[in-house]
Amino acid sequence: MNVLVVLSIILFVLMAIVGGKKGVKSFIALFLNFGVLIITILVMNDPNANPIWLTLVACAFISAISLFYINDVNSKTTMAFFSTIITLLILFFFIIIITEKSMIQGFGAEESEELMTFSLFIGIDFIKVAASVIIMSTIGAIVDTAISITSPMREIHHHNPMITRKDLFLAGIRIGRDILGTSTNTLFFAFFGGYMGLLIWFKDLSYSFSEIINAKVFSDEMITIFTAGMGVALVIPIASWMTSYYLVTIGNKKK
């Protein structure tokens, strides 16, 4: 049996045992999000398609699947979804600017040898592709942080319905501060785990520190990590404010 099938079965069993019905839905959501990603890439091959807008639409679908399909439509998922979209839109302009200024699009010198036999004139704007990669790389961390803020805030309001909007907002910020450090560390070490071979290769070729940080393949990943970290930091106050406003102001008016 293929090792991927075995690992998928093990993952499914563990998620079903630990998460129950939500664990099964989370497993299915992995494949749904993978399908969205594949469709986005296939459509992106069309020279007339705009990779950035396609990525934004794909991120909206991924956010909806990750939030609404797994946790149903309720106040916590709705606030997490809107705070995710707002954060992405804020980061969008920064990502476009930083991608154009840093010139990280395309392939680095370390990757050029494997591509020498292929034509790079494929009719796609690699600047937009690079921006799309950064946008797509941030969505998972932002959604995860957003729901980690809105869910406990709803529980706090449920058990203390008389809490003020300011106190509920500050509670969300305190929760976010606990999440911020672990989320950024996860992003950072995910890079070093995935690129350990590249870093060893840099050492064997006696790259200096300045050559490493200026290598396109290295700076591309670091910019992605920093941007995702910015997204995590931004979504905390946005999700906290939106949730506190909705639960206290709008929620009390509905009663």
Side-chain angles (χ1 to χ4, degrees):
M1 186 180 290
N2 189 292
V3 65
L4 295 178
V5 176
V6 174
L7 290 175
S8 299
I9 294 173
I10 295 173
L11 176 61
F12 174 77
V13 172
L14 290 174
M15 293 179 72
I17 293 174
V18 176
K21 183 180 178 180
K22 280 192 176 182
V24 174
K25 293 175 73 174
S26 298
F27 182 81
I28 297 173
L30 288 174
F31 292 93
L32 293 176
N33 287 332
F34 180 73
V36 172
L37 182 61
I38 293 299
I39 293 172
T40 303
I41 294 173
L42 292 176
V43 177
M44 201 178 290
N45 283 327
D46 185 350
N48 297 320
N50 189 313
I52 296 177
W53 294 116
L54 282 173
T55 303
L56 290 175
V57 173
C59 286
F61 275 103
I62 291 171
S63 300
I65 292 170
S66 301
L67 294 170
F68 300 133
Y69 175 71
I70 298 174
N71 298 292
D72 300 324
V73 179
N74 49 56
S75 58
K76 67 179 180 181
T77 54
T78 303
M79 291 302 101
F81 177 78
F82 283 116
S83 59
T84 298
I85 297 302
I86 292 173
T87 303
L88 276 178
L89 292 177
I90 293 173
L91 283 177
F92 170 75
F93 300 101
F94 174 80
I95 291 173
I96 297 299
I97 294 172
I98 199 66
T99 303
E100 292 181 352
K101 297 297 182 181
S102 61
M103 299 297 291
I104 59 173
Q105 73 276 3
F107 303 95
E110 296 79 13
E111 304 166 302
S112 59
E113 184 177 347
E114 290 81 4
L115 298 169
M116 288 179 64
T117 58
F118 299 99
S119 173
L120 299 180
F121 297 100
I122 59 177
I124 298 177
D125 189 340
F126 271 87
I127 295 179
K128 293 181 179 178
V129 172
S132 299
V133 170
I134 296 176
I135 294 170
M136 188 66 72
S137 299
T138 63
I139 186 64
I142 294 174
V143 170
D144 181 60
T145 304
I147 193 64
S148 298
I149 296 293
T150 59
S151 181
M153 286 182 68
R154 192 178 75 157
E155 287 299 312
I156 292 172
H157 182 264
H158 175 72
H159 292 287
N160 185 14
M162 300 306 295
I163 189 172
T164 64
R165 191 172 72 183
K166 179 181 178 181
D167 289 339
L168 186 59
F169 170 77
L170 293 176
I173 294 296
R174 286 192 293 268
I175 295 168
R177 286 171 180 167
D178 293 334
I179 298 171
L180 183 60
T182 55
S183 296
T184 50
N185 274 304
T186 299
L187 294 169
F188 184 74
F189 287 108
F191 161 74
F192 279 98
Y195 281 81
M196 187 66 71
L198 176 65
L199 298 175
I200 295 173
W201 188 70
F202 280 153
K203 178 182 178 299
D204 290 341
L205 293 181
S206 301
Y207 270 48
S208 65
F209 179 72
S210 61
E211 288 174 325
I212 292 175
I213 62 175
N214 284 289
K216 182 181 289 188
V217 66
F218 181 83
S219 58
D220 181 14
E221 290 299 322
M222 292 306 297
I223 288 174
T224 302
I225 292 171
F226 289 144
T227 306
M230 290 169 56
V232 170
L234 278 173
V235 79
I236 291 172
I238 293 174
S240 299
W241 184 86
M242 291 185 66
T243 305
S244 61
Y245 180 81
Y246 178 83
L247 293 176
V248 177
T249 304
I250 299 179
N252 289 341
K253 288 181 180 179
K254 291 182 178 180
K255 293 180 180 179

